[in-house]
Amino acid sequence: MQSGSAGPTALLLPDAPGARAAWLDFVAACYAAKGTPRAYFAAQLARDAAAGHRFTVGVVLAENGQMLSTAKIFHRRVRLGYNDTSEGEAGEGEAGDTGASSDAGESGKSRESGESGEGGGRVLSVAGVGAVCTAPGHRGQGLATRLLAFLAQECIVGGQEHYAFGLSLLHAREEFRPFYRARGWAKTLRVPFVYLTVVPKRSARARAAELIDRATGEPGRDLQAVMDVYEVYSGRLNGTEVRSDAYWREVVAQSGCTFFVAPGEDGEAVGYYAAVDRYVVDKESGQRAWRCLEFGAHSSASSSAQESQLVELIGHAIHSTMPHVAAPRDDGINNCAPAAEDSGRSMREARKSHRIEVPAGSRLLRQENFSEEDCFFDDGWLYFTTDGAEYASENAVRWRTDNF
């Protein structure tokens, strides 16, 4: 599991408390200038542990054992090549699998799960790559390049049988995309977004979901219903992840966000929206916008009804959080907790329309139905398949809840 006999050595860290703590200290130091705290990466480890995912971290060590560079592999199962154009229910193959078992790569299964869906889609065992960083004093020496090549050979393409990945996926900012494309992550998963304009308004039909009983930590009355809506809705969307029950609970516990639901006649959720309580800035226009983490709707409703339901839920969510709107923070995974209250905002702000950034890679919100200035693509999701297979990569959805 080592690379090189002299000078810096690339290897996999052991899954031990001391190694995890040392890694967290290292990445926190590397990302300190960016303002990403240690808690962000600790939360990622906690999620993976809850879902039964392996601790797979590569490092480059100096001869004295000093950590110089690192990258983490996130074990995921992702739907790729799906082409959702129907109004009906999702097929049994994808929507019926909640991913309750550990992912295919870890259990020694084949690189593809064997599940097929509409449009020739497959559920693939994916090596997500993240937390790529090098100590400030050692950058520009090719250490990250060496480490990525080591991980590709040892874990992603070759290596041990239980790492049988079908695809590797990462997200890169625009300035770093040429670097990763030159190292093999040459294909792009195109993720469209639109800006919706919503007036904050309380809805008598919407309510905050009870996903986790905060007193006991046990599942709340809405958790299973929201999970079911996710499987039906996201189960046929290109780029979405198959989530285990344990991963769901960990996502909810860590997100700090409020999920809002639209109950049906029996009281169970038939649609949901994960609210985010912070502003992001559209650098080109200078406008502020809310950011949607994810949403889902039961497929028995028409597309127009689903869109109306989503807008209603978003309006209700923003109305519920407007008194606490504050400056942006990024101190944890999808952290939505309000910072210090912005005393300069008056309640009149709550009656204005607000822009919200929403993924548009589904039949509910297609970018062709919006003006050009309200649409944009995130082309930062780069990937390669380990067997050279080709999949449809347009019009994908990557919920921000699943970022790594």
Side-chain angles (χ1 to χ4, degrees):
M1 286 202 253
Q2 298 188 3
S3 173
S5 55
T9 302
L11 52 80
L12 293 177
L13 281 182
D15 187 0
R20 285 172 174 252
W23 179 77
L24 285 171
D25 291 340
F26 177 76
V27 291
C30 287
Y31 280 87
K34 186 181 175 182
T36 308
R38 189 178 190 273
Y40 177 89
F41 302 100
Q44 289 180 330
L45 294 187
R47 278 189 180 190
D48 287 350
H53 296 160
R54 293 178 181 273
F55 177 75
T56 309
V57 170
V59 294
V60 174
L61 300 181
E63 291 185 44
N64 63 0
Q66 177 189 3
M67 205 175 294
L68 305 178
S69 187
T70 188
K72 184 181 185 304
I73 289 181
F74 295 81
H75 298 250
R76 297 288 188 266
R77 294 179 68 207
V78 175
R79 303 171 179 96
L80 196 64
Y82 282 66
N83 182 21
D84 173 37
T85 58
S86 68
E87 292 281 333
E89 296 283 348
E92 290 181 1
E94 68 277 16
D97 182 357
T98 62
S101 61
S102 60
D103 70 74
E106 295 170 39
S107 58
K109 296 180 183 178
S110 64
R111 296 177 188 273
E112 294 184 6
S113 71
E115 301 166 31
S116 26
E118 300 169 28
R122 310 288 286 183
V123 176
L124 299 180
S125 179
V126 169
V129 177
V132 181
C133 57
T134 300
H138 298 273
R139 292 170 185 169
Q141 301 174 22
L143 297 178
T145 295
R146 181 176 180 178
L147 180 57
L148 290 170
F150 167 76
L151 288 175
Q153 179 59 38
E154 183 66 27
C155 304
I156 301 174
V157 177
Q160 304 175 43
E161 184 181 356
H162 60 248
Y163 289 140
F165 295 113
L167 178 140
S168 182
L169 178 70
L170 59 82
H171 189 272
R173 297 204 309 266
E174 186 172 2
E175 61 267 32
F176 296 122
R177 291 169 196 170
F179 172 86
Y180 288 107
R181 288 193 178 106
R183 285 151 186 81
W185 284 265
K187 300 178 186 292
T188 301
L189 195 65
R190 301 209 79 197
V191 180
F193 287 84
V194 299
Y195 283 115
L196 292 180
T197 300
V198 177
V199 176
K201 183 178 180 181
R202 184 179 180 278
S203 169
R205 294 183 296 176
R207 61 175 173 80
E210 296 177 20
L211 301 183
I212 296 291
D213 186 321
R214 300 298 177 183
T216 65
E218 295 298 316
R221 64 169 174 159
D222 294 315
L223 180 59
Q224 187 60 54
V226 171
M227 287 168 58
D228 291 344
V229 171
Y230 174 86
E231 288 303 321
V232 169
Y233 188 78
S234 292
R236 58 183 175 214
L237 298 181
N238 195 26
T240 60
E241 297 193 6
V242 179
R243 298 176 182 171
S244 67
D245 292 359
Y247 188 80
W248 254 109
R249 289 191 291 271
E250 195 64 24
V251 165
V252 171
Q254 288 191 19
S255 70
C257 299
T258 301
F259 281 63
F260 291 87
V261 296
E265 293 181 2
D266 58 0
E268 288 197 353
V270 295
Y272 76 93
Y273 161 69
V276 62
D277 188 11
R278 64 182 180 187
Y279 277 99
V280 295
V281 178
D282 178 355
K283 294 182 180 178
E284 299 218 351
S285 67
Q287 290 182 294
R288 289 183 165 187
W290 297 82
R291 180 177 279 177
C292 172
L293 295 185
E294 65 177 74
F295 60 84
H298 200 283
S299 61
S300 60
S302 66
S303 295
S304 59
Q306 290 178 8
E307 183 174 348
S308 297
Q309 186 180 81
L310 173 63
V311 170
E312 183 177 353
L313 281 172
I314 291 174
H316 181 86
I318 295 178
H319 180 274
S320 301
T321 54
M322 276 305 300
H324 307 290
V325 170
R329 289 198 306 168
D330 193 7
D331 55 0
I333 295 178
N334 296 321
N335 194 320
C336 308
E341 187 170 335
D342 185 353
S343 58
R345 294 189 181 277
S346 69
M347 288 306 295
R348 288 194 302 273
E349 185 75 7
R351 292 191 289 271
K352 297 179 181 178
S353 61
H354 292 262
R355 279 160 58 88
I356 180 163
E357 178 189 294
V358 181
S362 72
R363 61 183 172 83
L364 198 162
L365 295 173
R366 293 210 183 273
Q367 65 270 23
E368 57 263 28
N369 296 329
F370 294 84
S371 62
E372 185 175 345
E373 58 268 23
D374 287 331
C375 303
F376 70 96
F377 281 91
D378 178 359
D379 287 330
W381 287 102
L382 308 179
Y383 73 95
F384 69 83
T385 55
T386 59
D387 59 1
E390 296 289 338
Y391 295 93
S393 57
E394 299 291 323
N395 212 41
V397 173
R398 289 292 301 165
W399 301 126
R400 296 193 182 278
T401 323
D402 294 320
N403 280 357
F404 48 77

